[in-house]
Amino acid sequence: MTEISKTYNPREVEDKWYSYWMEKKFFHSVPDEREPYTIIIPPPNVTGVLHMGHMLNNTIQDVLIRRARMLGKNACWVPGTDHASIATEAKVVAMLKEKGIKKSDLSRDDFLKYAWEWKEKYGGIILEQLKKLGCSCDWDRTRFTMEDSMSEAVIDVFIDLHKKGYIYRGHRMVNWDPAGMTAVSDEEVIYKEINSKLFHVRYKLVNEDNSPLSFGEGQGSEAWITIATTRPETILGDTAICVHPEDERYKHLKEKRAIVPMVKRSVPIIFDEYVDREFGTGALKITPAHDVNDYALGNKHKLDIIDVINPNGTMSESAKFYVGEDRFIARKKIIKALEESGNLVKIEDIKNKVGYSERTDAVIEPKLSRQWFVNMKDISKPALDAIVNGDVKLIPDKFINTYKHWMENVHDWCISRQLWWGQRIPAWYDEKGNTVVAKTHEEALQLYNIQYPTSNIQHLRQDEDVLDTWFSSWLWPISVFDGFKDPNNADIKYYYPTNDLVTAPEILFFWVARMIIAGYEYRGEKPFSNVYLTGIVRDKQGRKMSKSLGNSPDPIELIEKYGADGVRVGMLLCSPAGNDLPFDESYCEQGRNFSNKIWNAFRLVKMWETDEKLKQSDGNKISIEWFNAKFNAELESINNLYFKYRISEALMATYKLIWDDFCAWYLEMIKPEFVDGKSLPIDKATYDATIHFFEKLLKIIHPFMPFISEELWHLIGERKEKECIMMADWNTIQKYDSKIIRDFEFIQEVISKLREIRKNKNIPKTVRFQVSTKFQENENCTKQYEHHIYKLCEVEKITYNSSEKYSHNFTIGQWGFSITNFSSEKIQDDKENLLKELDYNKGFLLSVQKKLANERFVQNAKPEILEIEKKKQADAEAKIKAIEEQLASLK
RNA sequence: GGGAAAUUAGCUCAGUUGGUUCAGAGCACUACCUCGACAAGGUAGGGGUCACAGGUUCGAGCCCUGUAUUUCCCA
């Protein structure tokens, strides 16, 4: 026999099998008569490298797809990446900077050339990493959200939704970076808590007609209202003062106005519950052009909007004061001016959060700008219904509430981004800002000339902005099958709707909800049936793993260290659906140890030599019957766990079936004895059955551990070219006798107890036990499993129907056992244990009896519950009897 | 500020419509074991007032109310 390594070495097998699977086109799917099972990958960013979240997410997808394939379905897992406009553009800008090129010096086309170059060079890294993990994606179907046909779909959808009236252009507050002269996304704003000053400033009150207002009696008792602000420079853009309608301090100010200091503008006092009465003075100045909340209030109360800050962060013409000066210098000067005019009431120290640009570290300026929006209210209705009525299931369903709440209060979706990398918005403008939406300049001109026949214009300017990346990804389930270009093609008809989507709860709204919306809008059908929401991978301190924190281990290094199978198992062991998982490498270690355990079980079996002439022992026969029953029972439960998407529990059940039932019990039961430095041969029937079991077990672990299962599958038997485990059939459940399982559980208890006694009494294994029982051979199953007891805990003989007195007694259930062949000085221990057990059981009996004596219980409890209680009573009585007998038989 | 969820062993989680004296699993931990598959192992063992306080019920980890803590989403 050739030497097999003592430990499993994943490096030697993983690449080998992955290439083999690829060569044989096992991952590739084409429509046929079988039932399809489809997963579309949540497309990772092209900028991305594999992180722990991807590992978890894609492991789950691979488990699902591999099992579906084994179940005989036509399994298709479509991979791909998205173009991630913000992240990619940032990467490209950074790369150019290193080369000494500024984005602003490049034309749009030149910039895009660099961007595509970058994408070609780095955009495929993450997909290659998925291969290392073992992902069985149909790589022939790899898609990218910015490839031509997908971009075309995006543009067509924009035009279509615009036609249908869902898309409009409106105002919105964006995070403006005055240093970078660009809008940045919410994700790129870093909020820092800083020490600030809260300035209390008084505004003079006047009547509605701006006539002076006085509440006091004497002279000079003009009326004032004091507001508090951290940004006095925006006072110049104030267009209202807001107070709480129930604030007693300000109730008398209905229909009054205030005069903004310096600019002397008269603004209304408005009343809104938005105001926090406790903060500052309870009076809030409203600057709709420079604060998100103020903007919302401004809309609500129809206030004027005065933009007092230029894009570069200096004061604008409309500010009237300090025009052209930086906002922070203006702030200082205004404070001084207010102080001098006596309008600065006081200065308070406070801590507040201020947003900074991730890229330039400049203080973010909320700025009003024109953007494109999707009106979500009507279009999203089917997507709300789909989840509520269960057409699309969320796993776990605790997310339904959150989803519902969001969808019922859905906000319009801002889809324009001030970037170049992405699909350019197909909107065209003339000098006056008249707008048409069309696919090309030519079409735009035609349309324009119809809509504005008098203008007679030759050229229109296209919108500079691109579309939000989500505006591509929400079409993903349809566009990967070319469902826009060719709505009746064979692929989309066969694969759509897809089956399971595996993703993170944090993008439930950004992505999942929108895909459902698009699905109903463009296919009249849901895009997938189940959404499995994974947890967020965190570090030990509970922080989300992220690139910026640098707290994520390198997944590829983990794979090298523990093997892909080990890492996959490690990720899954601790990740029930929807729960966060604080990652720890020790999980991967456990996965690796499991690989090794399976490997060594194989080594053991492979070592045995068979003897054709050897007759199968009863012990072996019964072992096989038992494991067969146990296997099928567990298979049933594993199938059920898969059905409920309890993947980590299915894995744990598999783990225990292999480690405990197969390795620790079954193999030990049938293991041939070792005599004179040599293993005795094993009978052929037992050997064959064992190999058969092993193959079935390998099938169960294949979805979790594709590599080791494939390797052993080929080492354990002769296979033809395409006979791979990944293409094998999933096991079917065979009839089994569950009594065998129950009987053997009893035997396991007996064996454990005997081992425990041996250990506690320090009896060496060379001393074999003589065991006696009071019961007859046919009273329970002990006799049938005698051989196992002999073998697994060094028992020499069991005598039934014995009435001797012995020193070591114990009971399992209602059956008493005694060890007879040695005397111990520690009888006291046994006595104590038996007394303890007796005590416990008597207490238990008492509680049951009490319950049964309780009239209200007997009246109210269901009949089956009553039956159970009566059985408990009988069992407890039998147990007590057995223990008492054992006590009596002690020497 | 509004909404949602969670809290069970040192850690990560199970615990089905309330019904065995009532708490399970894996890892970690402790003790013993180099016994020819595996020390990445074997055997056995010790860990929990089910966040807290009330309530409903014959009976509560499970249902209700409140409190505390944590997390997430939205603003």
Side-chain angles (χ1 to χ4, degrees):
Chain A
M1 201 184 85
T2 52
E3 196 66 29
I4 307 170
S5 156
K6 211 169 152 181
T7 48
Y8 171 60
N9 193 345
R11 283 196 206 195
E12 287 170 13
V13 313
E14 290 181 356
D15 288 346
K16 174 180 79 183
W17 287 114
Y18 201 86
S19 340
Y20 191 83
W21 295 329
M22 289 278 276
E23 254 170 55
K24 303 292 173 213
K25 293 261 167 214
F26 284 162
F27 303 157
H28 187 52
S29 165
V30 282
D32 59 20
E33 70 297 335
R34 287 176 297 166
E35 185 191 337
Y37 175 85
T38 318
I39 296 180
I40 46 149
I41 202 168
N45 290 352
V46 275
T47 58
V49 286
L50 204 63
H51 61 60
M52 299 309 287
H54 294 126
M55 297 274 276
L56 172 65
N57 179 264
N58 288 290
T59 298
I60 292 166
Q61 292 175 70
D62 198 45
V63 169
L64 294 173
I65 204 93
R66 282 182 185 273
R67 179 160 177 275
R69 200 178 284 122
M70 293 176 83
L71 284 168
K73 294 177 187 170
N74 186 346
C76 180
W77 182 9
V78 184
T81 45
D82 79 30
H83 62 274
S85 52
I86 296 167
T88 308
E89 182 147 332
K91 289 255 179 196
V92 175
V93 168
M95 175 202 77
L96 289 172
K97 199 174 171 190
E98 267 178 33
K99 291 186 181 176
I101 308 170
K102 274 204 260 170
K103 182 189 164 193
S104 50
D105 294 342
L106 291 176
S107 72
R108 187 177 187 116
D109 284 347
D110 286 342
F111 178 82
L112 288 178
K113 241 179 250 163
Y114 280 114
W116 275 105
E117 259 173 40
W118 188 93
K119 187 262 166 187
E120 292 310 320
K121 199 165 166 194
Y122 302 106
I125 292 177
I126 194 159
L127 299 181
E128 290 309 309
Q129 291 178 315
L130 289 178
K131 293 178 183 171
K132 291 265 173 235
L133 187 61
C135 295
S136 57
C137 304
D138 184 350
W139 298 108
D140 296 338
R141 294 180 177 274
T142 307
R143 305 304 295 256
F144 174 54
T145 51
M146 238 171 78
E147 65 187 60
D148 288 345
S149 70
M150 290 195 130
S151 287
E152 195 180 352
V154 168
I155 297 303
D156 287 344
V157 164
F158 183 97
I159 294 167
D160 180 64
L161 290 180
H162 182 260
K163 249 184 225 155
K164 289 174 178 162
Y166 286 125
I167 286 189
Y168 67 95
R169 203 170 180 221
H171 287 280
R172 180 187 166 100
M173 211 40 100
V174 295
N175 303 304
W176 185 259
D177 174 348
M181 289 280 274
T182 177
V184 296
S185 70
D186 291 345
E187 289 74 30
E188 294 168 298
V189 180
I190 300 162
Y191 289 92
K192 299 182 200 167
E193 188 154 280
I194 59 157
N195 295 316
S196 301
K197 305 247 184 257
L198 190 62
F199 301 94
H200 292 241
V201 180
R202 62 174 195 176
Y203 290 31
K204 194 180 200 176
L205 290 164
V206 294
N207 285 310
E208 225 180 342
D209 57 1
N210 290 327
S211 59
L213 172 68
S214 157
F215 296 114
E217 301 301 312
Q219 282 182 335
S221 60
E222 292 159 309
W224 299 86
I225 183 163
T226 303
I227 57 91
T229 180
T230 55
R231 302 200 54 197
E233 70 279 12
T234 63
I235 284 175
L236 304 174
D238 282 356
T239 56
I241 303 285
C242 189
V243 293
H244 197 281
E246 272 147 41
D247 194 329
E248 293 298 332
R249 293 171 291 182
Y250 302 116
K251 270 198 162 161
H252 58 289
L253 296 183
K254 291 237 161 70
E255 284 160 13
K256 300 288 184 278
R257 297 180 73 87
I259 303 296
V260 179
M262 303 182 65
V263 286
K264 303 262 173 358
R265 179 164 52 240
S266 162
V267 299
I269 310 281
I270 60 170
F271 294 81
D272 200 289
E273 276 152 15
Y274 166 77
V275 178
D276 178 1
R277 278 175 275 188
E278 308 301 318
F279 185 80
T281 62
L284 181 67
K285 69 184 219 45
I286 307 293
T287 325
H290 298 288
D291 183 279
V292 182
N293 299 314
D294 289 11
Y295 176 68
L297 275 175
N299 265 350
K300 190 169 161 191
H301 296 272
K302 301 199 168 50
L303 301 176
D304 292 337
I305 298 169
I306 300 171
D307 190 343
V308 294
I309 297 174
N310 288 318
N312 65 358
T314 59
M315 303 309 286
S316 74
E317 291 286 339
S318 330
K320 294 186 184 156
F321 290 81
Y322 317 114
V323 176
E325 293 194 56
D326 184 79
R327 51 194 167 143
F328 296 109
I329 293 169
R331 180 181 298 175
K332 282 184 187 147
K333 293 190 172 171
I334 285 172
I335 295 160
K336 204 163 168 239
L338 288 170
E339 203 172 4
E340 280 164 8
S341 62
N343 289 325
L344 186 63
V345 179
K346 73 170 175 182
I347 303 173
E348 220 181 304
D349 287 321
I350 62 156
K351 277 192 185 349
N352 68 340
K353 280 191 177 170
V354 173
Y356 288 79
S357 168
E358 191 183 44
R359 293 191 231 157
T360 63
D361 206 36
V363 173
I364 290 296
E365 189 62 50
K367 187 174 166 59
L368 213 52
S369 67
R370 292 194 85 183
Q371 306 282 339
W372 287 92
F373 293 86
V374 179
N375 180 335
M376 295 297 275
K377 208 167 168 242
D378 299 330
I379 200 174
S380 63
K381 180 79 172 53
L384 171 60
D385 296 344
I387 294 284
V388 171
N389 65 29
D391 281 352
V392 177
K393 287 197 182 64
L394 297 185
I395 299 147
D397 59 11
K398 68 176 178 184
F399 287 104
I400 293 176
N401 278 342
T402 326
Y403 180 90
K404 221 178 120 193
H405 183 256
W406 191 79
M407 290 298 269
E408 280 166 355
N409 299 284
V410 67
H411 291 90
D412 285 358
W413 175 16
C414 177
I415 52 173
S416 41
R417 294 290 181 272
Q418 289 64 56
L419 299 163
W420 283 348
W421 177 244
Q423 290 95 7
R424 192 167 177 181
I425 292 174
W428 310 77
Y429 312 104
D430 68 8
E431 305 279 295
K432 294 176 209 149
N434 292 319
T435 308
V436 288
V437 168
K439 205 163 178 174
T440 61
H441 186 231
E442 216 169 44
E443 283 176 31
L445 266 183
Q446 277 177 15
L447 198 63
Y448 182 86
N449 287 326
I450 296 166
Q451 283 179 19
Y452 308 97
T454 54
S455 291
N456 196 21
I457 267 178
Q458 297 306 308
H459 191 77
L460 292 167
R461 184 174 49 83
Q462 188 176 1
D463 199 299
E464 291 295 327
D465 293 348
V466 297
L467 289 160
D468 181 10
T469 311
W470 295 116
F471 199 82
S472 296
S473 349
W474 76 321
L475 309 177
W476 187 248
I478 303 173
S479 58
V480 292
F481 300 117
D482 290 323
F484 289 96
K485 197 165 70 184
D486 187 3
N488 288 312
N489 76 70
D491 276 1
I492 187 112
K493 276 161 71 182
Y494 184 71
Y495 294 114
Y496 190 96
T498 67
N499 297 72
D500 298 333
L501 177 79
V502 180
T503 191
E506 42 191 357
I507 53 173
L508 187 54
F509 311 127
F510 290 138
W511 191 46
V512 179
R514 287 167 183 167
M515 278 192 288
I516 302 175
I517 293 170
Y520 281 103
E521 184 67 23
Y522 288 102
R523 298 295 304 179
E525 213 174 351
K526 64 189 174 185
F528 29 71
S529 303
N530 303 292
V531 181
Y532 181 100
L533 296 154
T534 64
I536 296 165
V537 185
R538 296 174 183 280
D539 68 7
K540 275 188 206 157
Q541 293 154 50
R543 298 174 307 175
K544 209 160 136 178
M545 283 193 176
S546 73
K547 266 176 280 170
S548 48
L549 278 171
N551 58 349
S552 174
D554 177 2
I556 299 301
E557 277 172 25
L558 285 178
I559 289 175
E560 276 165 14
K561 200 163 162 195
Y562 301 106
D565 291 330
V567 176
R568 290 165 66 113
V569 166
M571 304 280 343
L572 288 177
L573 276 174
C574 55
S575 58
N579 270 28
D580 287 359
L581 74 113
F583 179 78
D584 193 297
E585 260 192 55
S586 67
Y587 291 118
C588 296
E589 205 179 312
Q590 195 184 346
R592 179 204 56 183
N593 293 355
F594 186 39
S595 305
N596 202 45
K597 186 71 188 178
I598 301 168
W599 179 255
N600 276 291
F602 161 74
R603 282 180 67 210
L604 174 66
V605 174
K606 204 66 190 169
M607 222 174 61
W608 294 338
E609 277 166 33
T610 54
D611 184 344
E612 303 267 352
K613 281 170 275 171
L614 209 58
K615 198 177 160 279
Q616 186 180 41
S617 67
D618 286 348
N620 281 0
K621 203 171 160 216
I622 211 168
S623 303
I624 290 164
E625 277 168 24
W626 167 72
F627 189 74
N628 184 58
K630 184 71 183 167
F631 175 87
N632 280 292
E634 290 303 315
L635 176 61
E636 202 169 10
S637 131
I638 289 165
N639 281 345
N640 196 29
L641 290 167
Y642 268 113
F643 178 73
K644 290 191 265 186
Y645 290 86
R646 301 184 132 197
I647 312 287
S648 64
E649 285 176 59
L651 172 59
M652 187 42 73
T654 305
Y655 181 92
K656 286 197 278 188
L657 176 63
I658 292 174
W659 200 306
D660 298 342
D661 299 319
F662 187 67
C663 294
W665 288 101
Y666 175 78
L667 289 180
E668 292 300 333
M669 277 149 69
I670 62 151
K671 196 179 194 173
E673 268 182 271
F674 210 85
V675 178
D676 296 335
K678 232 190 126 200
S679 172
L680 294 179
I682 190 168
D683 69 89
K684 185 85 168 47
T686 303
Y687 183 80
D688 289 348
T690 305
I691 294 291
H692 189 55
F693 286 147
F694 214 123
E695 288 182 340
K696 287 175 133 188
L697 290 169
L698 287 176
K699 287 183 186 180
I700 296 189
I701 57 165
H702 178 74
F704 300 118
M705 311 174 91
F707 294 111
I708 192 175
S709 56
E710 193 70 89
E711 174 74 2
L712 292 181
W713 178 257
H714 291 266
L715 288 176
I716 212 166
E718 289 294 315
R719 313 287 172 193
K720 296 201 194 85
E721 193 196 347
K722 288 198 171 179
E723 269 178 5
C724 281
I725 199 167
M726 79 159 280
M727 303 307 276
D729 291 333
W730 188 252
N731 302 295
T732 48
I733 297 168
Q734 281 153 353
K735 272 195 188 151
Y736 62 92
D737 182 1
S738 53
K739 184 172 179 295
I740 300 181
I741 299 173
R742 284 199 305 277
D743 281 353
F744 194 68
E745 273 167 13
F746 170 72
I747 299 301
Q748 286 172 312
E749 275 188 71
V750 174
I751 292 170
S752 291
K753 194 71 194 179
L754 284 164
R755 284 168 170 169
E756 189 189 338
I757 290 171
R758 182 181 294 280
K759 186 171 167 154
N760 287 347
K761 310 282 179 188
N762 260 321
I763 301 161
K765 283 188 174 179
T766 45
V767 180
R768 311 198 75 190
F769 284 145
Q770 305 282 343
V771 175
S772 286
T773 73
K774 291 212 169 13
F775 56 81
Q776 321 267 333
E777 278 182 25
N778 57 1
E779 275 188 77
N780 63 36
C781 64
T782 310
K783 179 77 187 168
Q784 288 163 266
Y785 292 90
E786 257 182 11
H787 290 282
H788 299 103
I789 298 173
Y790 294 170
K791 189 168 184 178
L792 297 178
C793 50
E794 286 81 24
V795 169
E796 190 165 355
K797 191 166 184 293
I798 300 175
T799 312
Y800 301 87
N801 196 17
S802 143
S803 57
E804 293 172 68
K805 291 192 182 250
Y806 305 112
S807 52
H808 292 287
N809 291 357
F810 62 95
T811 60
I812 304 292
Q814 61 188 71
W815 310 105
F817 293 81
S818 309
I819 298 166
T820 63
N821 61 322
F822 64 97
S823 60
S824 163
E825 301 77 52
K826 293 180 181 171
I827 297 173
Q828 209 49 35
D829 288 359
D830 288 323
K831 204 169 193 172
E832 263 176 39
N833 279 337
L834 285 168
L835 283 170
K836 236 191 243 169
E837 261 184 78
L838 186 66
D839 222 37
Y840 173 92
N841 280 290
K842 279 185 168 168
F844 176 63
L845 180 63
L846 203 69
S847 85
V848 176
Q849 283 168 337
K850 247 190 199 165
K851 211 183 261 190
L852 284 169
N854 184 333
E855 270 178 46
R856 295 172 82 176
F857 171 73
V858 178
Q859 272 168 19
N860 294 330
K862 286 182 224 153
E864 57 267 31
I865 300 290
L866 216 58
E867 276 313 299
I868 292 170
E869 291 301 320
K870 280 180 185 163
K871 181 156 189 310
K872 277 196 244 170
Q873 186 177 2
D875 286 353
E877 280 166 352
K879 260 188 198 171
I880 288 166
K881 192 170 158 244
I883 298 166
E884 279 171 342
E885 273 175 17
Q886 290 290 93
L887 275 168
S889 74
L890 275 175
K891 271 183 195 162

